[in-house]
Every structure is written in structure tokens, then in C-alpha cells.
Amino acid sequence: MVTFFIIKGISDVPELQTPIFLLVLLIYLLTLGGNITIILLVFLDCHLHTPMYFFLANLSLNDICNTTVTLHKVLLIGLTGDQEISYVSCIAQIYFFGSFVSDELLFLAAMSYDRYVAICNPLRYTVIMNHKICALLASFCWVLGFIEILPYAVLVAGFSCYRSNVVDHFFCDLVPVIKLSCSNTSVLKTLFIVEGTFLLVLGPLVLTVLSYIFIISTIIKIRTSTGRRKAFYTCSSHLTVVILLYITLSYQYPRPLSADSLEYNKLLSLFNTAAVPILNPFIYSLKNKDVKSALKKRLWFLRVKK
Ligand SMILES: *[C@@H]1O[C@H](CO)[C@@H](O)[C@H](O)[C@H]1NC(C)=O
């Protein structure tokens, strides 16, 4: 019987503790800063009151929650040295991390649908993507992400036998915890491979790819090159984030299934979990004219107020 787990963290080497703590703190602060800025801009600037930016704000909120779930324990370990985490908190961490990852994929799929309507059906865009539909779509994404992961949490919570309680990772992730269990994990493993691949990852991926097939075929048909560029421009930030997310996922997922626990792999996993939440606000504020001008206006506004 296990009542608590020990989170081993990224490295055992004493000399590395401070640099790792500072690195994680930097990652966390950058994520918070960037995403809070996006959320504030979307709510404060009326040019950003469109479905695309509302979804972006949802995505930013999701990124803040996700990094808080994954990184808070490493930060606490760095501050207090306390590596213990209760059984319930560990299950909760597995559940919330999984839910926020699937929410992220669903939001990106919803955003690609939004781009699809904007480019392939521009005249009816405001009718189709009205406020009610957007609110429904956003809540659907949030709720579905949380429902999809429920079976995993229930199954892990039912495990009674553990070989050890030392989780060789920097947070309670599903795979490192499964590896510790001596209960029958075959149902969970099958679920992870079948539902995880087909529903959680391929479902949103197929929707996203389909939207982009329609988007690209519409863009190709636009006669003028400025028109083509303009249409492509409105979805380039989103496409960049989508590609980045699926690349990091494809790196992250097969890896924990193999038994190695090299520090290098944990660092890689840290960068994979942190890449999208950190880069998402930067991609949107560097590549997107509306966000850029909103940002400039606010900064100018702040300076004048002082
Ligand atoms: C999420 O999206 C919905 C629908 O567009 C919007 O009403 C809501 O304000 C967004 N929430 C956040 C936190 O951005």
C-alpha cells in the first residue's frame, strides 16, 4: 500500500539543484507573463474581440493551468526540499495534466475550424461564429478534455500494489506511475494506446488537418497574390502553434514508454511540456499585426499614465 509518492525531480546531482530550480522558475515566469499578457490584451482591446482571439485567450488560460500543474512541485521541491506528494495529489496531477493536454489539442482544433469558416465562408463568418456558438464550442472543449481523462484517473486510483513509491520524473505523469505499479495495468495500457492515440490525439489532429486542407484549397484559388498572402497571414500564427505542438507531442509520447530515466530525457520532457505554453504568446505577438498593435498601444498607454 502506498499513501504518498516521492517525486525524484529532474536530477539527483546536488550541484545541479540550483541551476535547475532557476531554469524552471524562468520557464514558469515566462509562461505566466506571456499568457497573462495575451489574456489581458484580448479582454482590454476591442480590436481583439473576435472568436479567434477569444479562443487564443482560452488557450493561454489552459497553458497557464497546465504549466502550473506540471511545474509547481519542482518549484516547491527547490524551495522546501520536500519531495513527498500525497497519493490523492499524485492522481490529481495525472488527471489535470492529461485534461489540460487534451484541452489544448481540442482548442487548436476549434481554432482551425474558426480559421476554416473565416477563409472558406467569409461572408457568413459572423453569423456562423456568433457569440453563442463560440461560447458553446469553448465550453465543449473544456468539458470534453476533462471527461476524456477521467477513465485513466479512475483506473490509476484503483491500483493497490506498488513496487516502489519513487516517481522518476518531475511530476506525477501517467507512464512513470504505471511503471511503478504491480497491479494489473493491461487495461490502462490498452486504453492509453487505443483511446489515447485515436480519440485524444488523432481526433483533434484529423479535424485540424481537414480544416487546413479546405483552407489551403481555398487560398490556392484566390486570384491575386496579395489576396492569397492576406488569407494565409490570418492563419499563419495558428498553423505555427499547431505544428509546434504536434512535433513536441510526437517527441514526448513514445519516450516515457521506454524504461530509460536519463536526466537528459527528463530535461527534454521539460522543454517539450514548456515549449508551447512559452512560445504561443510570442508567436502570436510577433507574427500577428492585431496583437502587435494592441501591445504597442497598451505599452504606450502605460508609459503615458506614469
Ligand atoms: C473562452 O472563449 C469564450 C468563447 O469565445 C469566451 O466567451 C471566453 O471569454 C473565453 N475565456 C477566456 C478566459 O478567455
Side-chain angles (χ1 to χ4, degrees):
M1 268 305 281
V2 162
T3 54
F4 66 90
F5 287 96
I6 307 272
I7 301 286
K8 226 173 140 188
I10 293 168
S11 168
D12 290 337
V13 183
E15 296 81 52
L16 287 180
Q17 296 312 313
T18 311
I20 286 176
F21 174 75
L22 292 177
L23 177 70
V24 175
L25 187 64
L26 181 71
I27 289 176
Y28 189 57
L29 292 179
L30 279 175
T31 308
L32 278 190
N35 287 294
I36 289 175
T37 308
I38 293 282
I39 294 175
L40 285 179
L41 283 183
V42 170
F43 280 99
L44 292 177
D45 199 295
C46 57
H47 297 290
L48 302 182
H49 288 180
T50 66
M52 179 166 104
Y53 295 113
F54 279 130
F55 284 126
L56 179 64
N58 276 270
L59 196 67
S60 285
L61 182 62
N62 186 58
D63 282 341
I64 291 175
C65 299
N66 196 358
T67 20
T68 305
V69 166
T70 46
L71 299 186
H72 79 277
K73 190 62 193 171
V74 213
L75 290 173
L76 284 179
I77 291 174
L79 285 176
T80 64
D82 180 14
Q83 292 177 301
E84 276 183 31
I85 181 170
S86 73
Y87 189 77
V88 175
S89 313
C90 185
I91 307 282
Q93 213 174 17
I94 292 176
Y95 176 62
F96 284 111
F97 174 62
S99 303
F100 290 129
V101 170
S102 35
D103 278 340
E104 180 105 11
L105 299 176
L106 290 167
F107 276 123
L108 285 169
M111 288 168 92
S112 65
Y113 175 70
D114 166 77
R115 291 298 83 207
Y116 157 75
V117 180
I119 290 173
C120 303
N121 211 342
L123 297 180
R124 302 199 51 223
Y125 178 66
T126 44
V127 180
I128 297 175
M129 295 303 279
N130 64 40
H131 197 77
K132 212 169 139 198
I133 295 289
C134 288
L136 258 174
L137 203 56
S139 359
F140 179 74
C141 291
W142 283 111
V143 173
L144 186 62
F146 278 85
I147 292 177
E148 282 176 332
I149 304 299
L150 208 53
Y152 297 87
V154 171
L155 284 170
V156 180
F159 289 173
S160 50
C161 166
Y162 287 94
R163 257 174 248 116
S164 145
N165 68 345
V166 181
V167 180
D168 192 5
H169 203 51
F170 55 91
F171 67 101
C172 274
D173 195 6
L174 186 61
V175 177
V177 173
I178 294 180
K179 272 194 224 145
L180 296 178
S181 180
C182 44
S183 295
N184 185 355
T185 57
S186 57
V187 177
L188 188 61
K189 276 183 184 152
T190 316
L191 189 73
F192 187 68
I193 291 166
V194 178
E195 196 237 6
T197 314
F198 288 99
L199 195 72
L200 295 185
V201 180
L202 286 186
L205 178 63
V206 166
L207 290 178
T208 309
V209 169
L210 270 182
S211 303
Y212 271 97
I213 290 175
F214 286 119
I215 289 172
I216 290 168
S217 64
T218 306
I219 290 181
I220 288 172
K221 281 188 221 128
I222 297 175
R223 286 217 190 81
T224 60
S225 68
T226 35
R228 271 197 298 263
R229 210 172 309 132
K230 233 187 217 163
F232 183 71
Y233 183 78
T234 64
C235 53
S236 61
S237 314
H238 175 258
L239 188 59
T240 313
V241 176
V242 167
I243 292 172
L244 185 69
L245 182 69
Y246 280 97
I247 288 177
T248 54
L249 266 186
S250 67
Y251 266 99
Q252 202 174 347
Y253 264 77
R255 218 159 275 273
L257 286 170
S258 61
D260 45 14
S261 67
L262 295 171
E263 273 148 23
Y264 168 74
N265 276 350
K266 281 190 263 178
L267 271 180
L268 195 67
S269 168
L270 175 66
F271 281 113
N272 280 332
T273 14
V276 170
I278 284 194
L279 292 177
N280 186 26
F282 287 102
I283 291 170
Y284 269 90
S285 40
L286 292 178
K287 288 187 78 165
N288 203 297
K289 243 185 252 150
D290 296 332
V291 180
K292 237 193 281 188
S293 70
L295 198 58
K296 266 186 209 141
K297 224 177 354 183
R298 292 294 148 190
L299 289 179
W300 170 81
F301 184 66
L302 290 177
R303 252 182 256 141
V304 165
K305 256 176 114 181
K306 273 182 205 163

